Structures are given as structure tokens and as C-alpha cells.
Amino acid sequence: MNKKDDSVKGYMMIFVSTIFFYIMTLFVKMITKDGRIPSTEITFFRFLIGFIIINISLMKTGYKIKMVNKKAVLSRGFFTALAILLFFMVIEYSTITKATIYNLTYPIFVAIFGPFLLKDERWTLKNIIGVAVAFAGIFLISGLGLGIVSWVDGLGLFMGFVAAIGIIALRKARITDSSNTILFYLMTIGLIMTVIPFGHQFKAPTSKEGMLLLGMGVFSYLGQYTVTNGFKYVKALEGSLISSSRIFIAAICGILFLGESFSEAIVGGGSLIFIGIVLVSLKGKGKKQLKN
């Protein structure tokens, strides 16, 4: 398989991961709808189910887990687990569309810090324009452009920053470490991080909630698996912006099935994001790199 085929494979896997992750958010919203089970407990079950699945998978390979780049693997685990916890909290207190938008603000932070930390990441004029256009759309959809900001907005943007660090760490980890190794430590770190905050407020799920938690955990694992493998073949910035297509999925499904609001801001912002994704994803010959 040549480099071009590898890139296509990476793009497809990352796009498929966006479908899995959106289905996961639907399960989370359904669980938190009545406010009985807190987002911290849901996050714990997310990592518990993922931990069980990855261990079943590892039984077939004889637990061949060996960290090569320990700093990158552990950083990926910590920052991604934190971002997921923040994401579930934003879903609990906001709409799925808005939570998804904030979750996908991370490409702008990848664009800023990626070239400093990743050897194969460079600034190009096309990338800079694409990122600017995409995030103009995100600001328009989220309401930040109109100055409508709450504590949930601040938490959402912080989540985007944390998620970007996790993506950069993933790109470094995938150079030397296997997907199973990265996922194993992600699930382990996530379990440790989330068992602490929810502990005393644990509420036993009902049978219905148990099924929703199981579905959430399975689709979350599938999304994590496909995105982890996909980033092996694409650059962090390109992969991040392909992931941003989940905004369209969240907006359309939110309007059709969840009764979320439809506005010109959603249409205009979505169009700007799509243009930004195209600008960053398309590769041209003789592109100039803007070096610091």
C-alpha cells in the first residue's frame, strides 16, 4: 500500500470515528436527560467498558503491551481522559450540537502548537486560512461571536485545548507504539481519574440505564479505536479538521431528532467549517511552508 492509499485509509477511519462518537453522545444525553446519573459516573462506565473490551482483545495477542514513548502514551491517556470527562459534563448541561462544537475546537490549538511539537507538521498559507475560516464558523454556531458566553462555554473551550494536547500526543505515540498499547493506558488512566470524583455519589443504574451505558461504552471504544488507528496515516491538523465533520452530523441530527434549534448561524457556520476542512485537507503541489 503506497502513501496515498495510507492517507485515504486514515481519512476514512477518522471519518468513521466521527459517526461512532456521535452515537456515543446520543447515549450520554439520553442517560443525563433526567439528571439522575451524573456525567462523572457515566465517564467512569465509559472507561470501565473500554477497559474490559481492550483486555478481551489483548487476551488474543498474549498481552503484548510495551510502551516505547512513555511520555507520549501517558500524556495521550491523561489529556484525552480529562477531555472526555469535560465533554460529558458539557453534554449534561448543554445541547449535543453545542457540546460537539466545543469538543471540535481543538484543531485550532493543534494548528498553534503542532508545528512546535511534531516534526511533520508545518504552517502553510492554506492551512492558516482553512483554520481561520473553520473556526469563524465554530464561533458563529456557538454564539461566541455574539458575546453569548456562560461557564459552560468556558468549560467547552478549555475542553478543546485539552483535547488538542491529547491529539498531538497521539501523533507522537503512534510513531512508536501500537494502538492496543495506547488504548490500554488510556482506559486505565481514565478509570483511575474518574473513580475519584464520582465515588460518594454513585447511583446504581436501572436496567434501561445499564443498556444505555453499555451502548455508550461500546460506541465510544469503536470511535477511539478508529481514530487512534486513523491518526497513524494522517497529520494531526488534517485529521483534526476531518473530525470536525461531526459538527454537521450533530447539527442535522439534533434538529431532526432532538428538537434542537435551527438557525442561520448553524447554516452559515456549518458552511464555513466545511470550507475550512476542504482547504486544509486538499493537498496541492509546490505548497510553501511558513516556518517560524
Side-chain angles (χ1 to χ4, degrees), residues 10-22:
Y11 295 148
M12 289 302 297
M13 293 189 75
I14 293 174
F15 179 75
V16 169
S17 75
T18 66
I19 306 296
F20 290 145
F21 281 134
Y22 180 72

Side-chain angles (χ1 to χ4, degrees), residues 10-78:
Y11 295 148
M12 289 302 297
M13 293 189 75
I14 293 174
F15 179 75
V16 169
S17 75
T18 66
I19 306 296
F20 290 145
F21 281 134
Y22 180 72
I23 296 175
M24 174 202 72
T25 63
L26 286 177
F27 281 113
V28 174
K29 192 62 177 179
M30 292 171 68
I31 298 168
T32 60
K33 192 174 183 179
D34 61 4
R36 201 182 80 85
I37 297 182
S39 53
T40 48
E41 183 174 336
I42 296 172
T43 312
F44 169 79
F45 277 108
R46 183 255 193 241
F47 285 115
L48 176 61
I49 294 170
F51 182 80
I52 293 172
I53 293 174
I54 189 62
N55 275 276
I56 291 175
S57 175
L58 288 171
M59 287 179 184
K60 299 178 180 179
T61 61
Y63 278 90
K64 296 179 180 179
I65 300 175
K66 182 180 180 181
M67 278 195 293
V68 179
N69 189 337
K70 294 183 179 179
K71 184 177 180 180
V73 172
L74 295 178
S75 294
R76 166 64 177 173
F78 174 79

Side-chain angles (χ1 to χ4, degrees), residues 169-230:
L170 172 59
R171 280 286 289 122
K172 294 180 73 70
R174 284 304 283 123
I175 296 173
T176 56
D177 292 85
S178 68
S179 297
N180 281 340
T181 297
I182 296 170
L183 288 171
F184 175 81
Y185 283 100
L186 168 61
M187 301 305 167
T188 302
I189 293 171
L191 268 179
I192 296 171
M193 288 177 60
T194 54
V195 73
I196 297 173
F198 93 81
H200 66 283
Q201 56 180 342
F202 175 78
K203 295 180 180 179
T206 63
S207 57
K208 179 182 177 181
E209 290 168 340
M211 292 300 295
L212 292 173
L213 286 168
L214 178 61
M216 176 273 300
V218 170
F219 278 102
S220 179
Y221 178 83
L222 291 173
Q224 203 66 61
Y225 180 83
T226 49
V227 76
T228 299
N229 279 280

Side-chain angles (χ1 to χ4, degrees), residues 239-261:
S240 298
L241 282 169
I242 292 171
S243 295
S244 296
S245 62
R246 186 157 31 117
I247 292 175
F248 290 115
I249 300 171
I252 294 171
C253 292
I255 293 167
L256 294 178
F257 305 114
L258 301 176
E260 296 182 355
S261 61

Side-chain angles (χ1 to χ4, degrees), residues 106-133:
Y106 67 84
I108 196 168
F109 298 109
V110 171
I112 294 171
F113 298 108
F116 290 108
L117 301 172
L118 299 171
K119 293 180 180 180
D120 62 344
E121 295 291 338
R122 296 290 185 273
W123 288 303
T124 69
L125 181 59
K126 185 174 60 176
N127 283 351
I128 292 173
I129 294 174
V131 171
V133 171

